[in-house]
PDB file of all heavy atoms in Angstrom:
ATOM      1  N   LEU C  48      -5.256   0.923  -5.516  1.00 86.00           N
ATOM      2  CA  LEU C  48      -5.053   2.174  -4.771  1.00 86.00           C
ATOM      3  C   LEU C  48      -4.067   1.972  -3.620  1.00 86.00           C
ATOM      4  O   LEU C  48      -3.200   2.819  -3.369  1.00 86.00           O
ATOM      5  CB  LEU C  48      -6.384   2.705  -4.243  1.00 86.00           C
ATOM      6  CG  LEU C  48      -7.354   3.213  -5.301  1.00 86.00           C
ATOM      7  CD1 LEU C  48      -8.718   3.500  -4.677  1.00 86.00           C
ATOM      8  CD2 LEU C  48      -6.808   4.446  -5.991  1.00 86.00           C
ATOM      9  N   LEU C  49      -4.196   0.852  -2.919  1.00 86.00           N
ATOM     10  CA  LEU C  49      -3.274   0.564  -1.815  1.00 86.00           C
ATOM     11  C   LEU C  49      -1.845   0.400  -2.335  1.00 86.00           C
ATOM     12  O   LEU C  49      -0.892   0.861  -1.712  1.00 86.00           O
ATOM     13  CB  LEU C  49      -3.709  -0.703  -1.071  1.00 86.00           C
ATOM     14  CG  LEU C  49      -4.982  -0.564  -0.246  1.00 86.00           C
ATOM     15  CD1 LEU C  49      -5.527  -1.926   0.106  1.00 86.00           C
ATOM     16  CD2 LEU C  49      -4.726   0.268   1.003  1.00 86.00           C
ATOM     17  N   LYS C  50      -1.702  -0.235  -3.482  1.00 84.00           N
ATOM     18  CA  LYS C  50      -0.380  -0.423  -4.077  1.00 84.00           C
ATOM     19  C   LYS C  50       0.238   0.926  -4.427  1.00 84.00           C
ATOM     20  O   LYS C  50       1.418   1.164  -4.174  1.00 84.00           O
ATOM     21  CB  LYS C  50      -0.486  -1.302  -5.321  1.00 84.00           C
ATOM     22  CG  LYS C  50       0.855  -1.614  -5.956  1.00 84.00           C
ATOM     23  CD  LYS C  50       0.680  -2.564  -7.119  1.00 84.00           C
ATOM     24  CE  LYS C  50       1.983  -2.938  -7.746  1.00 84.00           C
ATOM     25  NZ  LYS C  50       2.612  -1.872  -8.498  1.00 84.00           N
ATOM     26  N   ARG C  51      -0.564   1.824  -4.976  1.00 80.00           N
ATOM     27  CA  ARG C  51      -0.044   3.168  -5.305  1.00 80.00           C
ATOM     28  C   ARG C  51       0.415   3.883  -4.053  1.00 80.00           C
ATOM     29  O   ARG C  51       1.439   4.561  -4.055  1.00 80.00           O
ATOM     30  CB  ARG C  51      -1.115   3.983  -6.009  1.00 80.00           C
ATOM     31  CG  ARG C  51      -1.351   3.514  -7.437  1.00 80.00           C
ATOM     32  CD  ARG C  51      -2.307   4.376  -8.147  1.00 80.00           C
ATOM     33  NE  ARG C  51      -1.744   5.709  -8.294  1.00 80.00           N
ATOM     34  CZ  ARG C  51      -2.408   6.740  -8.727  1.00 80.00           C
ATOM     35  NH1 ARG C  51      -3.655   6.619  -9.073  1.00 80.00           N
ATOM     36  NH2 ARG C  51      -1.838   7.924  -8.834  1.00 80.00           N
ATOM     37  N   LEU C  52      -0.341   3.737  -2.956  1.00 74.00           N
ATOM     38  CA  LEU C  52       0.050   4.365  -1.697  1.00 74.00           C
ATOM     39  C   LEU C  52       1.374   3.802  -1.203  1.00 74.00           C
ATOM     40  O   LEU C  52       2.269   4.540  -0.806  1.00 74.00           O
ATOM     41  CB  LEU C  52      -1.038   4.166  -0.634  1.00 74.00           C
ATOM     42  CG  LEU C  52      -0.742   4.697   0.756  1.00 74.00           C
ATOM     43  CD1 LEU C  52      -0.642   6.217   0.742  1.00 74.00           C
ATOM     44  CD2 LEU C  52      -1.802   4.250   1.734  1.00 74.00           C
ATOM     45  N   SER C  53       1.516   2.477  -1.255  1.00 70.00           N
ATOM     46  CA  SER C  53       2.761   1.875  -0.774  1.00 70.00           C
ATOM     47  C   SER C  53       3.928   2.235  -1.673  1.00 70.00           C
ATOM     48  O   SER C  53       5.043   2.464  -1.194  1.00 70.00           O
ATOM     49  CB  SER C  53       2.627   0.358  -0.627  1.00 70.00           C
ATOM     50  OG  SER C  53       2.456  -0.256  -1.871  1.00 70.00           O
ATOM     51  N   GLU C  54       3.707   2.348  -2.982  1.00 72.00           N
ATOM     52  CA  GLU C  54       4.777   2.762  -3.889  1.00 72.00           C
ATOM     53  C   GLU C  54       5.187   4.203  -3.609  1.00 72.00           C
ATOM     54  O   GLU C  54       6.374   4.531  -3.632  1.00 72.00           O
ATOM     55  CB  GLU C  54       4.335   2.614  -5.341  1.00 72.00           C
ATOM     56  CG  GLU C  54       4.258   1.183  -5.806  1.00 72.00           C
ATOM     57  CD  GLU C  54       3.622   1.049  -7.187  1.00 72.00           C
ATOM     58  OE1 GLU C  54       3.007   2.016  -7.684  1.00 72.00           O
ATOM     59  OE2 GLU C  54       3.739  -0.053  -7.750  1.00 72.00           O
ATOM     60  N   ALA C  55       4.215   5.063  -3.344  1.00 69.00           N
ATOM     61  CA  ALA C  55       4.525   6.460  -3.034  1.00 69.00           C
ATOM     62  C   ALA C  55       5.354   6.543  -1.755  1.00 69.00           C
ATOM     63  O   ALA C  55       6.319   7.304  -1.674  1.00 69.00           O
ATOM     64  CB  ALA C  55       3.239   7.272  -2.893  1.00 69.00           C
ATOM     65  N   GLN C  56       5.000   5.747  -0.750  1.00 67.00           N
ATOM     66  CA  GLN C  56       5.749   5.749   0.503  1.00 67.00           C
ATOM     67  C   GLN C  56       7.182   5.300   0.262  1.00 67.00           C
ATOM     68  O   GLN C  56       8.121   5.888   0.773  1.00 67.00           O
ATOM     69  CB  GLN C  56       5.089   4.836   1.533  1.00 67.00           C
ATOM     70  CG  GLN C  56       5.848   4.723   2.846  1.00 67.00           C
ATOM     71  CD  GLN C  56       5.895   6.017   3.623  1.00 67.00           C
ATOM     72  OE1 GLN C  56       4.892   6.695   3.725  1.00 67.00           O
ATOM     73  NE2 GLN C  56       7.031   6.372   4.168  1.00 67.00           N
ATOM     74  N   GLN C  57       7.356   4.274  -0.545  1.00 65.00           N
ATOM     75  CA  GLN C  57       8.695   3.779  -0.819  1.00 65.00           C
ATOM     76  C   GLN C  57       9.531   4.824  -1.543  1.00 65.00           C
ATOM     77  O   GLN C  57      10.734   4.912  -1.330  1.00 65.00           O
ATOM     78  CB  GLN C  57       8.636   2.491  -1.635  1.00 65.00           C
ATOM     79  CG  GLN C  57       8.109   1.328  -0.829  1.00 65.00           C
ATOM     80  CD  GLN C  57       7.850   0.106  -1.684  1.00 65.00           C
ATOM     81  OE1 GLN C  57       7.946   0.148  -2.901  1.00 65.00           O
ATOM     82  NE2 GLN C  57       7.523  -0.984  -1.039  1.00 65.00           N
ATOM     83  N   ARG C  58       8.914   5.633  -2.398  1.00 66.00           N
ATOM     84  CA  ARG C  58       9.663   6.664  -3.113  1.00 66.00           C
ATOM     85  C   ARG C  58      10.153   7.751  -2.179  1.00 66.00           C
ATOM     86  O   ARG C  58      11.161   8.394  -2.462  1.00 66.00           O
ATOM     87  CB  ARG C  58       8.799   7.277  -4.208  1.00 66.00           C
ATOM     88  CG  ARG C  58       8.713   6.408  -5.435  1.00 66.00           C
ATOM     89  CD  ARG C  58       8.163   7.198  -6.600  1.00 66.00           C
ATOM     90  NE  ARG C  58       6.820   7.691  -6.364  1.00 66.00           N
ATOM     91  CZ  ARG C  58       5.707   7.039  -6.653  1.00 66.00           C
ATOM     92  NH1 ARG C  58       5.764   5.842  -7.173  1.00 66.00           N
ATOM     93  NH2 ARG C  58       4.530   7.570  -6.428  1.00 66.00           N
ATOM     94  N   VAL C  59       9.446   8.002  -1.065  1.00 65.00           N
ATOM     95  CA  VAL C  59       9.871   9.065  -0.170  1.00 65.00           C
ATOM     96  C   VAL C  59      10.665   8.555   1.028  1.00 65.00           C
ATOM     97  O   VAL C  59      11.116   9.340   1.841  1.00 65.00           O
ATOM     98  CB  VAL C  59       8.699   9.957   0.312  1.00 65.00           C
ATOM     99  CG1 VAL C  59       8.052  10.656  -0.851  1.00 65.00           C
ATOM    100  CG2 VAL C  59       7.698   9.178   1.114  1.00 65.00           C
ATOM    101  N   ASP C  60      10.823   7.240   1.124  1.00 65.00           N
ATOM    102  CA  ASP C  60      11.701   6.723   2.173  1.00 65.00           C
ATOM    103  C   ASP C  60      13.127   7.144   1.864  1.00 65.00           C
ATOM    104  O   ASP C  60      13.509   7.307   0.714  1.00 65.00           O
ATOM    105  CB  ASP C  60      11.635   5.188   2.236  1.00 65.00           C
ATOM    106  CG  ASP C  60      10.391   4.689   2.933  1.00 65.00           C
ATOM    107  OD1 ASP C  60       9.648   5.512   3.494  1.00 65.00           O
ATOM    108  OD2 ASP C  60      10.165   3.474   2.903  1.00 65.00           O
ATOM    109  N   ARG C  61      13.905   7.346   2.885  1.00 71.00           N
ATOM    110  CA  ARG C  61      15.294   7.708   2.650  1.00 71.00           C
ATOM    111  C   ARG C  61      16.193   6.616   3.192  1.00 71.00           C
ATOM    112  O   ARG C  61      15.861   5.937   4.159  1.00 71.00           O
ATOM    113  CB  ARG C  61      15.620   9.060   3.260  1.00 71.00           C
ATOM    114  CG  ARG C  61      15.539   9.124   4.749  1.00 71.00           C
ATOM    115  CD  ARG C  61      15.774  10.554   5.242  1.00 71.00           C
ATOM    116  NE  ARG C  61      15.805  10.538   6.679  1.00 71.00           N
ATOM    117  CZ  ARG C  61      16.837  10.928   7.411  1.00 71.00           C
ATOM    118  NH1 ARG C  61      17.900  11.419   6.831  1.00 71.00           N
ATOM    119  NH2 ARG C  61      16.799  10.867   8.710  1.00 71.00           N
ATOM    120  N   ILE C  62      17.322   6.463   2.572  1.00 74.00           N
ATOM    121  CA  ILE C  62      18.307   5.476   2.976  1.00 74.00           C
ATOM    122  C   ILE C  62      19.124   6.075   4.118  1.00 74.00           C
ATOM    123  O   ILE C  62      19.578   7.212   4.037  1.00 74.00           O
ATOM    124  CB  ILE C  62      19.251   5.130   1.807  1.00 74.00           C
ATOM    125  CG1 ILE C  62      18.466   4.733   0.581  1.00 74.00           C
ATOM    126  CG2 ILE C  62      20.280   4.108   2.232  1.00 74.00           C
ATOM    127  CD1 ILE C  62      17.959   3.349   0.541  1.00 74.00           C
ATOM    128  N   VAL C  63      19.308   5.291   5.178  1.00 76.00           N
ATOM    129  CA  VAL C  63      20.044   5.755   6.343  1.00 76.00           C
ATOM    130  C   VAL C  63      21.142   4.730   6.658  1.00 76.00           C
ATOM    131  O   VAL C  63      20.881   3.527   6.663  1.00 76.00           O
ATOM    132  CB  VAL C  63      19.106   5.901   7.566  1.00 76.00           C
ATOM    133  CG1 VAL C  63      19.876   6.310   8.799  1.00 76.00           C
ATOM    134  CG2 VAL C  63      17.991   6.874   7.263  1.00 76.00           C
ATOM    135  N   ILE C  64      22.327   5.223   6.906  1.00 79.00           N
ATOM    136  CA  ILE C  64      23.427   4.358   7.325  1.00 79.00           C
ATOM    137  C   ILE C  64      23.656   4.622   8.806  1.00 79.00           C
ATOM    138  O   ILE C  64      23.968   5.734   9.208  1.00 79.00           O
ATOM    139  CB  ILE C  64      24.706   4.632   6.519  1.00 79.00           C
ATOM    140  CG1 ILE C  64      24.439   4.380   5.036  1.00 79.00           C
ATOM    141  CG2 ILE C  64      25.852   3.763   7.031  1.00 79.00           C
ATOM    142  CD1 ILE C  64      25.584   4.718   4.125  1.00 79.00           C
ATOM    143  N   GLY C  65      23.447   3.586   9.614  1.00 81.00           N
ATOM    144  CA  GLY C  65      23.587   3.706  11.062  1.00 81.00           C
ATOM    145  C   GLY C  65      25.037   3.781  11.500  1.00 81.00           C
ATOM    146  O   GLY C  65      25.971   3.569  10.715  1.00 81.00           O
ATOM    147  N   ARG C  66      25.243   4.074  12.763  1.00 87.00           N
ATOM    148  CA  ARG C  66      26.600   4.165  13.324  1.00 87.00           C
ATOM    149  C   ARG C  66      27.359   2.851  13.173  1.00 87.00           C
ATOM    150  O   ARG C  66      28.574   2.848  13.074  1.00 87.00           O
ATOM    151  CB  ARG C  66      26.539   4.560  14.796  1.00 87.00           C
ATOM    152  CG  ARG C  66      26.024   5.947  15.019  1.00 87.00           C
ATOM    153  CD  ARG C  66      25.939   6.252  16.515  1.00 87.00           C
ATOM    154  NE  ARG C  66      25.205   7.467  16.731  1.00 87.00           N
ATOM    155  CZ  ARG C  66      25.756   8.574  17.208  1.00 87.00           C
ATOM    156  NH1 ARG C  66      27.009   8.614  17.531  1.00 87.00           N
ATOM    157  NH2 ARG C  66      25.012   9.647  17.362  1.00 87.00           N
ATOM    158  N   ASP C  67      26.606   1.738  13.183  1.00 90.00           N
ATOM    159  CA  ASP C  67      27.246   0.430  13.047  1.00 90.00           C
ATOM    160  C   ASP C  67      27.443   0.037  11.586  1.00 90.00           C
ATOM    161  O   ASP C  67      27.908  -1.062  11.289  1.00 90.00           O
ATOM    162  CB  ASP C  67      26.417  -0.638  13.766  1.00 90.00           C
ATOM    163  CG  ASP C  67      25.018  -0.783  13.184  1.00 90.00           C
ATOM    164  OD1 ASP C  67      24.631   0.031  12.305  1.00 90.00           O
ATOM    165  OD2 ASP C  67      24.308  -1.703  13.601  1.00 90.00           O
ATOM    166  N   GLY C  68      27.071   0.931  10.666  1.00 85.00           N
ATOM    167  CA  GLY C  68      27.240   0.649   9.245  1.00 85.00           C
ATOM    168  C   GLY C  68      26.043  -0.035   8.609  1.00 85.00           C
ATOM    169  O   GLY C  68      26.032  -0.277   7.410  1.00 85.00           O
TER     170      GLY C  68
END
Side-chain angles (χ1 to χ4, degrees):
L48 291 171
L49 290 164
K50 183 176 182 289
R51 287 185 65 189
L52 177 66
S53 66
E54 287 172 346
Q56 177 66 44
Q57 290 171 353
R58 281 195 298 271
V59 298
D60 282 352
R61 65 185 185 120
I62 307 280
V63 177
I64 300 175
R66 293 178 191 247
D67 61 353

